[in-house]
Amino acid sequence: MAEIVYPPVITLAKAAFAGIRVKVDEVGGEHIPRTGGAVLASNHVSYLDFLFCGLAAQPSKRLVRFMAKESVFRHKISGPLMRGMKHIPVDRAAGAGAFATAVKALRDGEVVGVFPEATVSRSFLLKDFKFGAARMAAEAGVPLVPMIVWGTQRYWSKENPRDLTRRNNPVLLRVGEPLNPTTSDDPAEVTAEMRSRMAVLLEEAIESDPYRPTGPDDKWWLPASKGGTAPTPEDAAVLEKAEVEERIKQARAQARVVAEARVKARAKAKAKAAAKKKA
């Protein structure tokens, strides 16, 4: 089937990047296979990562179908674009459906993009990984390609200044050699090996980054271990735990509101029926 939406979006994105003089430094794109399915697993430091991770597949002339949270597909602007580019929605309450969809796409020869950390890293270092990427690659019998994106956090990351028009910002993409997991391999071991390779790629990207802080207030994008003011992984984990607890609290509160509204509606309908019966 012809691609109607994806190519124009890529062209538009490249034009936007050129307009603000984004400096993309890509190494290793040849590791993404030119044909057949593959899982492209990336770290996650920014809300814009998928835009740049897809560029890593350009040397192989591939389009990446990213797995993204289902709410993005419900948005009036991003939703039609995400569906048009055949990205894969993930409902965290029913992940099995997204997994099956991704495996089918892989078997059909697609490149599926995954962020094993699931959420953006506040520390800009690697968080714990979910096992889904390893399991999908093994189930579909396709390569698992590790990659790193760096520098995108300076555009838009969690709890930090958003600067979508930042000019002359270096974005580094590092793609590593693929793993070839099988269904007989332990997903935890495969994931650990992938994470280890990505840690090496991340260190290389950070060390190769030509951007330097302009002053004490411009170190927020740099990991604490590198002299920056980003939270340490331990502090970031505490913040994330609090965020999850707050999200659960809000969800429960919303569920109570909905339940109470339903009870009131039923009571109102019952009273109305009773009044009509008396009349």
Side-chain angles (χ1 to χ4, degrees):
M1 185 179 293
E3 293 287 344
I4 299 174
V5 178
Y6 215 145
V9 169
I10 292 175
T11 300
L12 183 62
K14 286 183 175 179
F17 296 158
I20 57 175
R21 298 178 183 174
V22 179
K23 300 177 179 179
V24 178
D25 176 10
E26 181 267 325
V27 176
E30 69 276 6
H31 292 307
I32 298 174
R34 288 183 172 271
T35 60
V39 175
L40 183 63
S42 174
N43 66 322
H44 205 2
V45 295
S46 165
Y47 294 112
L48 302 181
D49 287 340
F50 73 97
L51 289 174
F52 289 92
C53 289
L55 294 180
Q58 290 293 290
S60 298
K61 299 181 180 180
R62 304 301 303 274
L63 299 176
V64 184
R65 316 300 179 181
F66 285 97
M67 301 185 75
K69 59 183 180 180
E70 196 263 344
S71 60
V72 178
F73 291 78
R74 294 198 304 266
H75 191 276
K76 63 181 180 180
I77 296 176
S78 64
L81 289 174
M82 295 294 282
R83 290 189 292 272
M85 290 185 282
K86 303 175 188 175
H87 294 313
I88 302 171
V90 179
D91 182 350
R92 290 175 181 171
F99 182 89
T101 300
V103 169
K104 182 181 185 306
L106 291 167
R107 287 173 173 164
D108 288 343
E110 299 282 6
V111 177
V112 174
V114 180
F115 297 105
E117 296 166 288
T119 57
V120 173
S121 171
R122 285 180 168 91
S123 71
F124 307 124
L125 297 176
L126 300 180
K127 298 165 53 181
D128 291 336
F129 281 15
K130 308 292 185 183
F131 299 159
R135 290 176 54 234
M136 282 190 293
E139 184 74 19
V142 300
L144 174 58
V145 184
M147 78 162 289
I148 286 294
V149 58
W150 178 258
T152 54
Q153 73 271 31
R154 293 187 285 258
Y155 287 116
W156 188 9
S157 61
K158 261 189 178 178
E159 299 169 354
N160 287 301
R162 181 169 58 183
D163 186 1
L164 300 180
T165 59
R166 177 186 284 263
R167 300 176 70 82
N168 301 308
N169 181 53
V171 172
L172 295 90
L173 307 175
R174 296 292 183 267
V175 184
E177 295 185 5
L179 292 81
N180 293 283
T182 68
T183 53
S184 62
D185 293 325
D186 183 347
E189 293 181 0
V190 174
T191 301
E193 174 61 22
M194 175 179 68
R195 189 178 186 280
S196 176
R197 295 188 186 190
M198 288 171 67
V200 173
L201 294 173
L202 179 57
E203 181 69 19
E204 176 189 328
I206 294 174
E207 293 301 318
S208 301
D209 187 359
Y211 185 85
R212 293 293 178 268
T214 57
D217 294 335
D218 189 36
K219 292 185 177 183
W220 56 267
W221 56 270
L222 195 59
S225 59
K226 298 295 182 180
T229 56
T232 64
E234 294 76 18
D235 289 341
V238 172
L239 292 170
E240 183 165 322
K241 181 180 179 181
E243 180 183 43
V244 171
E245 291 174 348
E246 179 61 25
R247 191 183 303 130
I248 292 173
K249 181 180 177 181
Q250 291 178 358
R252 287 175 176 170
Q254 181 62 29
R256 283 196 297 270
V257 170
V258 172
E260 290 171 359
R262 287 175 178 171
V263 169
K264 289 179 180 179
R266 283 195 291 265
K268 185 176 180 180
K270 187 176 181 180
K272 186 177 181 180
K276 186 176 180 180
K277 187 176 181 181
K278 287 182 180 180

